[in-house]
Amino acid sequence: MEQASAVGDATVAHDVEALKEGLSEPAPRDRLVAQRGLFAAPSPRVPQKMYVETKGGASASRDELVLRQGAHASTNTYFGRFAASFWQRWTAVTSVRLELTYATAGSAAFSLRASDARGRKRLVVREEVAGSGTLVLDGKLDRFVDGGALWFDVAATAGELTVTDVRWTVEAPEHLRPAAVVICTFNRADDCAVTVGTLAADAGAMADIDAVCIVDQGTDQVQSRPAFADIAESLGSKLIYLTQPNLGGAGGFSRGMHEITSAPGSAHANVILMDDDILCEPETVLRMNAFANMTLKPAIVGAQMLSLSNPQILHVSAEREVLDEITAGALTPGAMMGVDLGKKNQERRFDAGWNGWWTCLLPAEVIADCGLPLPLFFQWDDIEYGIRARFAGHPTVTLPNAGVWHADFHLKDYDDWARYFSIRNGLIVSAIYGRFDGTTIAKYLFRKISELIVSMQYGLAATFIKAAEDFLAGPDFLHDGGQSVLGEIRELRARYPETVARPAVEVGSEADPHTQMDVWKFEPDESREGLVLAKRAVQQFLGKVDGRPVTIPAHYASWWHVSLFSQATVTDASQNAVRVRRRDKQTALDLTRQAAKVCWRLRKEAPQMKATYTEALPRITSRENWTRLYGTGA
């Protein structure tokens, strides 16, 4: 199935046939580069303090640091630190070597430093140098089990100093694992071209990458962009470009996993999954791949998500799931959320329940043991796979100091069609891996739907109800990979006016001079939330609510606040629009009845659903089923 694209004056062939020759094991070596010491990001939007902190006269580029006399620099930064705790916990490596090249007309002092789980710092070794040469400093990977990292500080004590070619190396294993990158994309041609181009332009990060597989599921395709010819020329035979119907993230990533692990020589390959719309740091690919080469047994290695709008902000250190509450992103012990990495480091070691596929490495052995992802189309596919791997004995390690920048989750509004997949797929995953007690699940879901109804989010409540109904229909609805339900969800939500996002200046009388902004400074005690919800439901039913027009900022739009009014213009989390919610007694009653019915069924049918989905798992995650969905075979 050969494909080719005409881009400019060039015709570029890029098909899966290239994989028939197989993946190649990287050349043997004495030392493996575990990470490079870089001093600037691949994008000017990322602050330098993510890589190096300087004091005094200094300048930094990607690969070079220049300090004028008397200046100091420290790599005790997000990308400058070596994650010693994680290397000690998950690998048999006992020491790491810092190697760098320096040149000074006078003298300089280099210090290898370490921290512990509480952030207390200690000096490992200090060395003064003069002239030019190569510096080698060794550090033991001990005293780091509960946390801590390594980094180096440098001072130009006399004369200007230039530092280049910084690398942290470990003793290489006898055999290195082949590696391939898989990028799934859907109508984000420009974003994808930039991401792949950034990766392809970094020769050091690409040195041990055998293939870059783009799975394009869109109608506006990456191969149509002028930049694609340059990417194809840069990657050469490493580029694999595939097109297929839109099967969501699960379908795109599974296709890449399927093709890469079907190639000769792939039995011990590292498959690195990557989103199309990230701001890519190629160094993260190198660090994940090196770490995965050194773990005692194959482990999933994930990158952290950093904020695209505030590049120094960490989304979360590591996550786990709470299946009784259909919740994915709960913090694991020791993890942090929303931290400014320019002010605070991740000192404590933390474990992960799973890692998002914004950038995540899966060893071929894990794929061989666990199969391909569930055809969930959108959301929970990466979570489910991480849980499945963990249940099979394959851990996930979210590696600090290895991250990519992704669009902020807090800027995505909760009230949209994607919530259908979040609830439906969460129920599926909970049924397979959780205790899935019908009473607990039904009670939790009815509570959440009730909160939506009292806050006049009728379309979102209907979305939740349909998600539960489709879950109860059994796994056969996954037969098409999840495509057909998209139209149904959009049609359902279109029946409810408050689901429409509107420009703030176009909300008519709701924005007249008498409309006042209303903010809620208090929230009910957790132990009394149930009573508050019941009270709000009665007030909404009887119409005993405030009738004045109000606008409510997104930050204050909790159910216990919005439900005090009969009409509210609520800011969308994206900050680009508002939604006008109006009390509708009949709609509220109808949805409450539907919610009660589906939750009653959920409580009664939970044991049957658990058995049904668990039994179906091997069949619907099989290569045969996915091959059928790709349209490449029977």
Side-chain angles (χ1 to χ4, degrees), residues 68 92 102 108 202 213 235 263 267 340 342 381 416 418 438 450 461 472 573 628 632:
R68 286 180 278 281
Y102 63 88
D202 193 319
C213 179
L235 292 176
D340 187 336
D381 49 322
D416 78 357
S450 298
L472 289 168
R628 177 187 61 80
T632 60

Side-chain angles (χ1 to χ4, degrees), residues 102-115:
Y102 63 88
T104 174
S107 61
F110 289 87
S111 299
L112 181 62
R113 296 187 179 275
S115 63

Side-chain angles (χ1 to χ4, degrees), residues 57-190:
S59 61
S61 62
R62 181 76 165 158
D63 304 302
E64 182 180 86
L65 174 68
V66 178
L67 299 179
R68 286 180 278 281
Q69 182 170 317
H72 300 256
S74 175
T75 62
N76 187 22
T77 61
Y78 182 80
F79 284 107
R81 289 157 61 95
F82 181 83
S85 179
F86 288 77
W87 279 82
Q88 183 178 358
R89 166 63 180 85
W90 294 103
T91 79
V93 176
T94 57
S95 67
V96 62
R97 179 172 297 168
L98 171 66
E99 305 173 40
L100 57 85
T101 300
Y102 63 88
T104 174
S107 61
F110 289 87
S111 299
L112 181 62
R113 296 187 179 275
S115 63
D116 63 15
R118 296 186 179 182
R120 294 173 295 203
K121 301 174 183 178
R122 64 181 185 270
L123 176 66
V124 177
V125 62
R126 184 177 186 274
E127 188 162 332
E128 296 184 3
V129 300
S132 60
T134 299
L135 177 67
V136 176
L137 298 176
D138 288 314
K140 291 183 179 180
L141 292 181
D142 60 2
R143 299 168 60 187
F144 292 108
V145 172
D146 286 339
L150 288 162
W151 68 91
F152 76 90
D153 294 343
V154 57
T157 52
E160 186 173 273
L161 170 69
T162 300
V163 181
T164 57
D165 300 321
V166 179
R167 55 210 176 276
W168 299 79
T169 69
V170 297
E171 187 176 345
E174 183 179 356
H175 298 284
L176 291 170
R177 305 166 67 91
V181 174
V182 175
I183 299 177
C184 167
T185 187
F186 174 75
N187 288 348
R188 286 175 174 157
D190 293 326

Side-chain angles (χ1 to χ4, degrees), residues 236-512:
S237 61
K238 292 184 177 183
L239 177 63
I240 310 298
Y241 185 91
L242 306 174
T243 60
Q244 67 180 29
N246 182 21
L247 298 172
F253 284 128
S254 73
R255 179 68 186 280
M257 294 160 64
H258 178 280
E259 299 296 353
I260 295 299
T261 58
S262 296
S266 65
H268 304 290
N270 288 330
V271 182
I272 303 168
L273 309 180
M274 182 180 289
D275 273 351
D276 56 354
D277 59 343
I278 59 171
L279 174 55
C280 176
E281 171 50 91
E283 173 65 14
T284 289
V285 171
L286 183 149
R287 294 182 184 188
M288 293 166 59
N289 194 37
F291 188 83
N293 266 286
M294 302 305 299
T295 55
L296 287 177
K297 64 178 184 178
I300 296 174
V301 182
Q304 293 183 322
M305 173 183 152
L306 308 173
S307 168
L308 193 58
S309 61
N310 295 284
Q312 74 279 8
I313 301 297
L314 172 70
H315 167 55
V316 62
S317 298
E319 298 175 275
R320 60 183 176 89
E321 70 287 347
V322 183
L323 295 179
D324 278 351
E325 298 180 1
I326 323 174
T327 299
L331 285 175
T332 62
M336 302 183 294
M337 185 176 187
V339 173
D340 187 336
L341 297 166
K343 298 178 180 178
K344 190 175 182 65
N345 287 313
Q346 300 171 84
E347 299 290 4
R348 292 175 60 187
R349 185 177 60 79
F350 42 80
D351 294 321
W354 52 273
N355 200 97
W357 285 355
W358 41 76
T359 299
C360 187
L361 182 152
L362 305 177
E365 296 93 326
V366 174
I367 298 172
D369 189 29
C370 296
L372 295 172
L374 269 171
L376 298 177
F377 189 77
F378 182 69
Q379 295 198 354
W380 281 85
D381 49 322
D382 48 1
I383 301 166
E384 183 277 330
Y385 202 86
I387 298 171
R388 193 194 321 169
R390 192 175 81 233
F391 274 42
H394 307 292
T396 291
V397 181
T398 296
L399 194 62
N401 317 122
V404 295
W405 293 271
H406 190 283
D408 304 59
F409 287 162
H410 73 271
L411 294 177
K412 296 182 179 182
D413 199 68
Y414 190 78
D415 190 352
D416 78 357
W417 59 267
R419 205 54 49 195
Y420 164 85
F421 292 98
S422 178
I423 298 301
R424 187 201 70 182
N425 297 346
L427 285 169
I428 294 172
V429 176
S430 182
I432 297 173
Y433 302 104
R435 64 190 186 105
F436 207 61
D437 175 74
T439 300
T440 301
I441 291 290
K443 182 179 179 181
Y444 179 82
L445 188 61
F446 187 77
R447 164 72 177 270
K448 289 300 175 184
I449 295 173
S450 298
E451 291 173 0
L452 297 174
I453 293 172
V454 301
S455 58
M456 299 174 286
Q457 290 181 282
Y458 304 125
L460 188 54
T463 303
F464 273 50
I465 292 167
K466 178 168 176 54
E469 290 173 342
D470 286 356
F471 164 77
L472 289 168
D476 287 347
F477 69 81
L478 298 174
H479 183 76
D480 70 344
Q483 300 173 77
S484 62
V485 76
L486 278 172
E488 296 176 32
I489 293 300
R490 291 192 172 104
E491 182 181 345
L492 172 68
R493 290 176 55 79
R495 302 172 196 166
Y496 300 92
E498 86 285 346
T499 63
V500 179
R502 302 163 62 185
V505 297
E506 295 180 9
V507 293
S509 61
E510 290 83 13
D512 69 19

Side-chain angles (χ1 to χ4, degrees), residues 517-524 536 552-553 555-558 560-561 564:
M517 181 180 290
D518 198 279
V519 296
W520 185 261
K521 296 181 181 179
F522 307 100
E523 59 184 80
R536 295 285 195 275
I552 299 177
H555 182 68
Y556 295 99
S558 301
W560 53 78
H561 181 201
L564 292 169

